[in-house]
Every structure is written in C-alpha cells, then in structure tokens.
Amino acid sequence: MNKLKVGYVSIIGLPNVGKSTLLNSILKQKISIVTPKPQTTRKKILGILTENNYQIIFLDTPGIVKPAYLLHEKMLEEINESIKDADVIVLLFDVSSEGRIKESEENENIKKLIEQKTKPIILALNKVDSVTQEQAQQLVNHYERLNKFKAVIPMAASLNFNVDRLIQEIVELLPEGEKFYPDDIISEASERFFVSEIIREKIFELYEDEIPYSTEVIITDFKERTASKDFISAEIVVERDSQKPIIIGKEGKAIKKLGEAARKAIEEFLQKEVYLELRVKVREKWRSNEKILRYFGYGVKK
C-alpha cells in the first residue's frame, strides 16, 4: 500500500507575482481573490488539495511589502508564521521582466528566506509565457546552479502550465502521515470570509487609486433562508470621510454597480441566490489602529 504524504505548503512572494492565481489553479477553483493590483491578499488562506496518496494544505500569504502601516506589519507577521508552519516553501518569482526578477532577488525578506537552511524551497518561475523558451531555460539553469532550491520550475499559473509538475515536486518533499482534513474540504475558511473577500475583490476592480487599499469589508449579517434568497449585509469600512462619497458615487451609482457585481459573484460561489445589502462606514485610520485591526482579524493568533 502506498504511503500517504501530508503537509503544509507556504506560497511566498512579492505582491502581484501570481500567488493567488497559482493557488486557484492548483485547487481548480477560485478560493483566493485575484486582481491586477498588488497587495490584494491580506490574510493567509488555507486551500486543501486531497488525492488518493497525498493531502497538501496550502497557505496563500499576503505579498511581501515594506510596512507603511500597522496593517502591513500584521501581514508580515502572517507571512513569517506561515513559513514556520510550512513543511515546504514555494517561492514565486515573476519573470515577465528583468525589473520584476531583480525586485524579488533584492528583497531582504526573500534573501533571508533563501538563506535559511531548515525548510526545503521550490522556486517557481511564474509568467514564463511572457519570455522566450531560451530565456526561460537560461533562468532555470542560473537558479539551479545556485544550489539553493530543491527544484526550479518554469511555469505559467494563469495557463495551468507546469502546475502538475509543481504538485509532484511538493509531494516528493512532504513527510508521511495521516490526513488532517476530510477529503471533501477545500478550505478551512468560512463562507462569510469568502463573501467578504469577493466584495473586496470587486472594490479592487471598480475603484481607482488608494480606495481599495483603504477599504475593509465586514459581514454583519448572513442569514441562510430556505423559502427565499439568503440575506447578506456587509459593511464597507473606509479610513476617511472623503472616501465615503467615492464608494457611494453620484446618486448612489457606484455602490449599486459594486452591489450588482458582488452579488453575481457571490451567487456563483455559493450556488444560490442572495439578497446583498451594502453600507459604508468610516473608521478613521483603521490601518494603523491595533484594536480595530485585531477586531478585523489581522495579526497572528496568540
């Protein structure tokens, strides 16, 4: 009988290198929010991949940023915690341009991570579809020669290219053990969490500049109803009074558009009809407020 391989895998990288896209691609469904804007993921998300001979528990982490707010410091805490929890680390580089490669190579946290000797690291060179085959091979050769990684894999997460190979390499490195979760569970997070993430994703898609980064979404009510649509009430929290009218828009048009886009995506995710109510609330400088951040669920659980 085949031995079961089980363990935790942490996906680490700078903002916008494709971590969430990779996780969704591995799980063959969307559980992590994906937008072209950096720093979308704020909390580590647990995605679980179970097959006959293995179970991999993925930790999708926030992008590594230089802390400008207490929120960023909490996000870095989440990353460090997830590295501690991991059996294997998947380090993701965006190789679509020399500048992006350099950014990853020169990041202090990433340098430190590569130098640690306790956890095996797989280097995934993402977005190789944007370079020539020859360039991709040169990059692979270069990183293999460094002898710092258990494997170097050229990949394109958005096209599903080499995702299976990455999974195989991970399984090789995992310890043997018993499954932690039942076969049919793909995440430990609640429906409420995913609904708030979907609304946040739509805010990133529909609003410009600083607005998405200053926003948090709290689900204040979630009623499952058998005879009618589920009822969901969400609070969109912003940092300044001047941001509230931007979210609402002229004659409420912007929030109506947001509500429609979010409701459709939530219904697709939950596979049922919902009634979605959105409200906007101002909480001054919430990104730098320890108490509010704790209430919003940021920071490592002690």
Side-chain angles (χ1 to χ4, degrees):
M1 200 180 110
N2 275 352
K3 288 272 194 275
L4 199 67
K5 304 295 276 292
V6 179
Y8 285 86
V9 173
S10 193
I11 304 174
I12 304 286
L14 295 184
N16 238 11
V17 292
K19 296 182 299 296
S20 300
T21 305
L22 175 60
L23 183 61
N24 293 336
S25 186
I26 286 168
L27 299 171
K28 297 187 175 60
Q29 60 177 296
K30 187 170 170 182
I31 74 159
S32 207
I33 75 174
V34 177
T35 76
K37 292 181 180 163
Q39 291 178 50
T40 320
T41 304
R42 286 191 190 148
K43 296 173 182 164
K44 60 182 184 196
I45 292 173
L46 200 58
I48 303 157
L49 180 67
T50 305
E51 292 295 341
N52 292 334
N53 57 336
Y54 63 82
Q55 184 174 73
I56 310 172
I57 298 121
F58 286 96
L59 307 167
D60 175 29
T61 54
I64 297 169
V65 290
K66 211 173 180 169
Y69 298 92
L70 186 59
L71 170 64
H72 292 158
E73 288 172 28
K74 299 281 180 201
M75 282 157 65
L76 278 174
E77 271 180 34
E78 298 243 347
I79 295 167
N80 292 330
E81 198 63 15
S82 119
I83 289 168
K84 261 192 257 169
D85 292 344
D87 296 292
V88 176
I89 293 162
V90 173
L91 177 59
L92 212 55
F93 279 13
D94 169 354
V95 297
S96 60
S97 73
E98 278 182 30
R100 290 293 277 152
I101 296 169
K102 211 170 159 192
E103 252 182 283
S104 286
E105 286 184 340
E106 290 178 358
N107 181 278
E108 288 306 321
N109 293 39
I110 290 177
K111 278 189 197 165
K112 231 187 287 179
L113 179 67
I114 293 171
E115 289 313 316
Q116 60 81 35
K117 299 283 184 276
T118 53
K119 307 274 165 118
I121 302 174
I122 295 170
L123 179 63
L125 304 175
N126 195 26
K127 308 186 188 181
V128 289
D129 49 313
S130 52
V131 299
T132 66
Q133 222 172 333
E134 193 186 351
Q135 285 170 313
Q137 195 51 56
Q138 280 171 350
L139 284 167
V140 172
N141 296 345
H142 164 68
Y143 288 113
E144 281 180 344
R145 275 197 300 271
L146 298 179
N147 277 331
K148 304 269 186 193
F149 309 104
K150 290 290 182 188
V152 178
I153 302 173
M155 63 187 305
S158 62
L159 304 174
N160 254 328
F161 172 65
N162 260 351
V163 171
D164 287 343
R165 189 182 147 198
L166 175 67
I167 293 168
Q168 282 168 0
E169 294 284 359
I170 290 167
V171 173
E172 288 290 310
L173 295 167
L174 288 180
E176 289 174 2
E178 298 292 314
K179 287 178 185 171
F180 293 122
Y181 294 93
D183 289 6
D184 56 348
I185 288 185
I186 70 141
S187 184
E188 205 184 37
S190 65
E191 284 185 343
R192 271 178 179 244
F193 171 75
F194 287 117
V195 167
S196 70
E197 285 289 282
I198 288 167
I199 298 168
R200 221 163 55 77
E201 176 178 55
K202 298 303 162 198
I203 292 169
F204 267 89
E205 285 171 10
L206 296 172
Y207 295 87
E208 292 298 310
D209 305 326
E210 179 61 8
I211 287 289
Y213 300 103
S214 310
T215 309
E216 184 56 90
V217 176
I218 305 295
I219 305 300
T220 51
D221 201 359
F222 193 132
K223 286 193 184 83
E224 292 191 43
R225 304 192 280 206
T226 42
S228 58
K229 297 176 181 179
D230 283 3
F231 174 77
I232 299 170
S233 180
E235 211 172 75
I236 298 168
V237 180
V238 291
E239 283 204 307
R240 294 192 299 276
D241 287 318
S242 59
Q243 292 167 334
K244 193 173 175 176
I246 299 172
I247 293 277
I248 294 167
K250 203 176 172 190
E251 295 165 357
K253 280 183 184 154
I255 199 163
K256 189 171 181 236
K257 193 177 172 186
L258 170 64
E260 280 170 9
R263 181 183 54 76
K264 277 187 193 142
I266 291 165
E267 288 181 337
E268 204 177 303
F269 178 76
L270 295 175
Q271 294 290 295
K272 52 185 160 183
E273 291 192 322
V274 301
Y275 176 81
L276 178 65
E277 171 186 270
L278 297 178
R279 294 196 174 130
V280 187
K281 197 168 183 177
V282 181
R283 291 196 180 206
E284 292 284 335
K285 298 185 176 160
W286 70 263
R287 284 183 292 180
S288 301
N289 185 312
E290 175 84 49
K291 205 172 158 189
I292 295 177
L293 285 170
R294 253 209 319 273
Y295 171 69
F296 287 170
Y298 290 103
V300 175
K301 310 283 179 288
K302 295 286 186 276

